[in-house]
Amino acid sequence: MDSSERMVMTNNATASSQDLDKDQIERALNGVIIPPQPTILVELNTEQASENPDLIKIAELISADVGLSAAVLKTVNSALYGLSRPMNSIRQAVLSLGLRNISSLVTSFVLRQKIGSKACIPLDTFWESAKEIAEISLLLAKNLSLPYPEDSYTIGLFHDCGIALMAQEHADYNEVYSESEKGNKSKLLELENQHYQTNHTVISFYLCKSWKLTDTIAKVVRDHHNRDLIFEPGEENINRHQLMAILKMADNISHNLHVLNGVDHDWELIKDTALAQFELSETDYFDLTDEVIGHLD
């Protein structure tokens, strides 16, 4: 069995946490500890699921944490949201942006706080890249009129978070990660599977499940490097396909911003299928890229 076959088997074996018993899940995680969902996210999810979400209550929860409040206001007032004038209060931000947007911003903050304090690779650049891909994903989703663009932001944020968790648990992960940078993310999965019998998409999937994100978000995160499942046929998968396409476009745009004349191997393999999800030509995609880059900070 070659490494690419092993990668597919690993991903297929983790189709749903409900499909596996406790021992199988532990083997899939391979010693990596998934941090529990923070209390504030539990509160946000509860309010979001209620018939009449109490935005004032959410604003009070966020306001109780100085660091979280500052992070939310900084992001809300960035060019990403294009507000006509700066917001100075959490209540004002919550009421203006709504629960789904605020949930995405809070998730971004707490994810970074919960992961990576003892990682064997420097994570500042990693988190900045995740934030950039999340922001590009949000801009693309808005431009392409997805009903819930905030889901694209969350996927961009979580899609590679397993890397940070693996770097925290495996002292030799720096060597694996450094070797993969000579190739691409698919190469990283192959190396992870060889060394740890699991990979960062599996870990990212279980973090999504543990933090009660939707099945659609978790599956996009799980499959975004899996060539057999990335655009699995079936009309019922249209929403997942569009979210996947946006993630891959955002990843490609971010790649091109930072790697001059470098080939994005993952993108070249799936770009035609990704663009077809929105009936985009390559010219359309170039125009869309220019528009998105113009809105980034």
Side-chain angles (χ1 to χ4, degrees), residues 127-145:
W127 288 122
E128 287 306 310
S129 175
K131 177 174 175 286
E132 179 177 87
I133 291 172
E135 291 180 351
I136 293 172
S137 296
L138 178 62
L139 291 167
L140 287 170
K142 287 181 175 179
N143 192 293
L144 295 168
S145 302

Side-chain angles (χ1 to χ4, degrees), residues 248-269:
K248 301 306 285 188
M249 284 189 278
D251 204 4
N252 175 247
I253 292 171
S254 178
H255 173 91
N256 291 336
L257 281 172
H258 300 286
V259 183
L260 296 178
N261 302 317
V263 176
D264 185 348
H265 300 279
D266 282 359
W267 175 248
E268 292 302 316
L269 290 170

Side-chain angles (χ1 to χ4, degrees), residues 22-288:
K22 184 177 179 181
D23 289 341
Q24 289 172 314
I25 291 174
E26 288 181 356
R27 285 197 296 273
L29 295 178
N30 196 29
V32 174
I33 298 173
I34 299 293
Q37 187 183 32
T39 302
I40 190 166
L41 290 186
V42 175
E43 296 273 4
L44 282 169
N45 289 340
T46 301
E47 286 299 322
Q48 192 163 300
S50 67
E51 291 186 11
N52 298 299
D54 187 344
L55 296 181
I56 302 302
K57 178 181 177 182
I58 293 300
E60 290 173 353
L61 277 169
I62 294 171
S63 297
D65 186 305
V66 175
L68 180 55
S69 298
V72 167
L73 289 176
K74 179 180 179 182
T75 307
V76 164
N77 289 321
S78 71
L80 180 67
Y81 287 90
L83 301 178
S84 58
R85 59 180 182 178
M87 291 189 177
N88 299 312
S89 76
I90 293 298
R91 178 177 292 195
Q92 184 184 18
V94 171
L95 293 176
S96 176
L97 296 179
L99 188 55
R100 291 182 74 95
N101 272 312
I102 288 297
S103 180
S104 296
L105 298 186
V106 173
T107 300
S108 174
F109 178 80
V110 297
L111 180 65
R112 186 165 181 166
Q113 294 297 308
K114 284 285 183 181
I115 300 174
S117 60
K118 298 179 181 178
C120 66
I121 62 174
L123 289 182
D124 283 350
T125 301
F126 171 84
W127 288 122
E128 287 306 310
S129 175
K131 177 174 175 286
E132 179 177 87
I133 291 172
E135 291 180 351
I136 293 172
S137 296
L138 178 62
L139 291 167
L140 287 170
K142 287 181 175 179
N143 192 293
L144 295 168
S145 302
L146 259 68
Y148 298 112
E150 302 85 4
D151 288 352
S152 288
Y153 183 94
T154 302
I155 289 170
L157 192 68
F158 273 78
H159 76 290
D160 279 338
C161 64
I163 291 175
L165 282 167
M166 294 183 79
Q168 196 166 256
E169 299 298 330
H170 299 294
D172 63 341
Y173 188 77
N174 181 45
E175 300 169 16
V176 173
Y177 189 74
S178 297
E179 185 177 348
S180 74
E181 290 183 329
K182 301 172 185 176
N184 52 53
K185 286 287 178 62
S186 294
K187 174 67 173 178
L188 175 59
L189 258 67
E190 294 176 11
L191 291 170
E192 289 170 343
N193 284 323
Q194 290 170 11
H195 284 78
Y196 311 113
Q197 292 73 55
T198 192
N199 62 66
H200 71 270
T201 62
V202 173
I203 307 302
S204 301
F205 170 78
Y206 277 107
L207 183 61
C208 289
K209 299 294 286 186
S210 176
W211 285 22
K212 312 299 183 189
L213 302 183
T214 67
D215 285 343
T216 298
I217 289 175
K219 288 176 180 178
V220 172
V221 167
R222 182 194 69 198
D223 297 335
H224 73 278
H225 290 309
N226 189 326
R227 296 174 196 171
D228 287 353
L229 297 178
I230 189 168
F231 290 113
E232 189 178 20
E235 188 173 343
E236 71 279 3
N237 293 327
I238 290 175
N239 181 46
R240 185 171 70 84
H241 288 175
Q242 290 184 331
L243 290 169
M244 181 73 79
I246 283 176
L247 172 62
K248 301 306 285 188
M249 284 189 278
D251 204 4
N252 175 247
I253 292 171
S254 178
H255 173 91
N256 291 336
L257 281 172
H258 300 286
V259 183
L260 296 178
N261 302 317
V263 176
D264 185 348
H265 300 279
D266 282 359
W267 175 248
E268 292 302 316
L269 290 170
I270 55 87
K271 67 177 181 181
D272 291 339
T273 309
L275 296 179
Q277 304 307 315
F278 298 100
E279 300 181 351
L280 296 174
S281 67
E282 286 210 48
T283 301
D284 294 333
Y285 178 57
F286 292 142
D287 291 342
L288 182 58

